[in-house]
Amino acid sequence: MARFRVLIIIICIIFYSGRALNAAELLMIESASCEWCDVWHEEIGGIYSKTPEGKYAPLRRIDIADITAEDANKIRVPSFTPTFVVLDGGREVARIIGYPGEDFFWPILKDALKKIGFKP
Protein backbone atom coordinates (compact mmCIF):
# COMPACT_ATOMS: atom_id res chain seq x y z
CA MET A 1 0.00 0.00 0.00
CA ALA A 2 2.84 2.40 0.82
CA ARG A 3 4.40 1.79 -2.60
CA PHE A 4 1.09 2.58 -4.26
CA ARG A 5 0.90 5.93 -2.42
CA VAL A 6 4.45 6.79 -3.44
CA LEU A 7 3.62 5.93 -7.06
CA ILE A 8 0.50 8.15 -6.99
CA ILE A 9 2.50 11.03 -5.49
CA ILE A 10 5.18 10.71 -8.18
CA ILE A 11 2.55 10.65 -10.95
CA CYS A 12 0.89 13.77 -9.50
CA ILE A 13 4.20 15.62 -9.28
CA ILE A 14 5.03 14.79 -12.89
CA PHE A 15 1.55 15.73 -14.12
CA TYR A 16 1.32 19.07 -12.30
CA SER A 17 4.90 20.14 -12.98
CA GLY A 18 4.36 19.46 -16.70
CA ARG A 19 1.18 21.52 -16.73
CA ALA A 20 2.94 24.48 -15.09
CA LEU A 21 5.81 24.23 -17.55
CA ASN A 22 3.45 24.30 -20.54
CA ALA A 23 1.27 27.11 -19.24
CA ALA A 24 0.53 30.08 -21.45
CA GLU A 25 1.54 33.51 -20.20
CA LEU A 26 1.22 37.09 -21.38
CA LEU A 27 4.37 39.03 -20.64
CA MET A 28 3.93 42.83 -20.57
CA ILE A 29 7.18 44.71 -20.91
CA GLU A 30 6.67 48.26 -19.70
CA SER A 31 8.44 51.26 -18.22
CA ALA A 32 7.51 53.84 -15.61
CA SER A 33 7.69 56.64 -18.19
CA CYS A 34 5.47 54.89 -20.76
CA GLU A 35 2.22 56.81 -21.30
CA TRP A 36 0.71 54.01 -23.42
CA CYS A 37 1.43 51.54 -20.62
CA ASP A 38 -0.62 53.77 -18.33
CA VAL A 39 -3.47 53.84 -20.86
CA TRP A 40 -3.40 50.03 -21.09
CA HIS A 41 -3.57 49.77 -17.30
CA GLU A 42 -6.52 52.18 -17.19
CA GLU A 43 -8.47 50.47 -19.98
CA ILE A 44 -7.57 46.80 -19.58
CA GLY A 45 -5.28 46.19 -16.63
CA GLY A 46 -8.04 46.06 -14.04
CA ILE A 47 -10.15 43.50 -15.90
CA TYR A 48 -7.56 41.41 -17.72
CA SER A 49 -7.29 38.67 -15.09
CA LYS A 50 -11.10 38.24 -15.09
CA THR A 51 -11.36 37.62 -18.84
CA PRO A 52 -11.08 34.25 -20.62
CA GLU A 53 -7.81 35.49 -22.15
CA GLY A 54 -6.47 36.45 -18.72
CA LYS A 55 -7.38 33.08 -17.26
CA TYR A 56 -5.78 31.26 -20.19
CA ALA A 57 -2.61 33.41 -20.25
CA PRO A 58 -2.02 35.16 -16.92
CA LEU A 59 -0.24 38.50 -17.07
CA ARG A 60 3.31 38.95 -15.87
CA ARG A 61 4.64 42.50 -15.91
CA ILE A 62 8.31 43.33 -16.30
CA ASP A 63 9.96 46.72 -16.39
CA ILE A 64 12.13 46.93 -19.50
CA ALA A 65 15.09 47.91 -17.30
CA ASP A 66 14.64 44.80 -15.15
CA ILE A 67 14.64 42.07 -17.80
CA THR A 68 16.62 39.15 -16.42
CA ALA A 69 18.98 36.88 -18.32
CA GLU A 70 16.38 34.11 -17.96
CA ASP A 71 13.72 36.29 -19.62
CA ALA A 72 16.17 37.40 -22.33
CA ASN A 73 16.79 33.73 -23.19
CA LYS A 74 13.06 33.21 -23.81
CA ILE A 75 12.27 36.32 -25.87
CA ARG A 76 13.80 38.91 -28.13
CA VAL A 77 14.31 41.91 -25.85
CA PRO A 78 12.03 44.70 -27.12
CA SER A 79 13.04 48.27 -27.87
CA PHE A 80 9.64 49.80 -27.20
CA THR A 81 7.09 49.75 -24.41
CA PRO A 82 4.59 48.43 -24.03
CA THR A 83 5.39 45.17 -25.74
CA PHE A 84 3.20 42.16 -25.05
CA VAL A 85 4.73 38.72 -25.57
CA VAL A 86 2.65 35.55 -25.62
CA LEU A 87 4.63 32.67 -24.15
CA ASP A 88 3.74 29.00 -24.35
CA GLY A 89 5.87 26.75 -22.16
CA GLY A 90 8.40 29.55 -21.84
CA ARG A 91 8.69 29.95 -25.63
CA GLU A 92 7.73 33.14 -27.47
CA VAL A 93 4.78 32.51 -29.79
CA ALA A 94 3.61 36.01 -30.69
CA ARG A 95 4.04 39.64 -29.74
CA ILE A 96 2.12 42.88 -29.84
CA ILE A 97 4.31 45.96 -30.11
CA GLY A 98 2.69 49.02 -28.59
CA TYR A 99 -0.87 49.42 -27.43
CA PRO A 100 -3.26 49.98 -30.34
CA GLY A 101 -6.25 50.74 -28.10
CA GLU A 102 -8.83 48.49 -26.50
CA ASP A 103 -10.82 47.87 -29.71
CA PHE A 104 -7.76 46.48 -31.51
CA PHE A 105 -5.90 44.90 -28.58
CA TRP A 106 -8.46 42.16 -27.82
CA PRO A 107 -8.77 40.77 -31.38
CA ILE A 108 -4.98 40.80 -31.85
CA LEU A 109 -4.48 39.03 -28.52
CA LYS A 110 -7.18 36.43 -29.33
CA ASP A 111 -5.49 35.65 -32.65
CA ALA A 112 -2.15 35.22 -30.88
CA LEU A 113 -3.64 32.95 -28.22
CA LYS A 114 -5.43 30.83 -30.84
CA LYS A 115 -1.97 29.76 -32.04
CA ILE A 116 -1.55 27.89 -28.75
CA GLY A 117 -5.02 26.41 -28.46
CA PHE A 118 -7.14 29.20 -26.96
CA LYS A 119 -10.80 28.78 -27.77
CA PRO A 120 -12.82 31.94 -27.02
Side-chain angles (χ1 to χ4, degrees):
M1 189 67 170
R3 289 183 185 178
F4 181 73
R5 286 185 192 159
V6 171
L7 180 62
I8 294 298
I9 291 170
I10 291 171
I11 290 170
C12 289
I13 290 170
I14 292 170
F15 177 76
Y16 286 110
S17 66
R19 284 187 64 139
L21 182 63
N22 293 326
E25 180 178 38
L26 179 64
L27 187 61
M28 179 183 185
I29 299 155
E30 59 188 335
S31 71
S33 62
C34 172
E35 292 177 28
W36 287 105
C37 298
D38 294 339
V39 173
W40 185 89
H41 286 294
E42 289 171 16
E43 294 181 355
I44 294 178
I47 63 166
Y48 180 78
S49 65
K50 300 171 188 168
T51 66
E53 294 83 358
K55 290 179 173 127
Y56 189 81
L59 179 69
R60 181 165 59 107
R61 298 167 49 196
I62 298 178
D63 190 286
I64 196 166
D66 296 332
I67 292 178
T68 65
E70 181 183 345
D71 291 323
N73 286 333
K74 295 177 184 176
I75 65 167
R76 289 178 289 116
V77 178
S79 301
F80 304 101
T81 59
T83 296
F84 301 89
V85 180
V86 175
L87 297 174
D88 183 31
R91 181 180 59 86
E92 181 175 337
V93 176
R95 70 173 46 206
I96 302 167
I97 300 171
Y99 175 58
E102 186 173 8
D103 293 337
F104 293 100
F105 179 79
W106 290 114
I108 295 169
L109 179 60
K110 283 179 186 171
D111 286 345
L113 293 175
K114 284 178 185 176
K115 293 178 182 180
I116 55 173
F118 177 69
K119 293 179 176 105

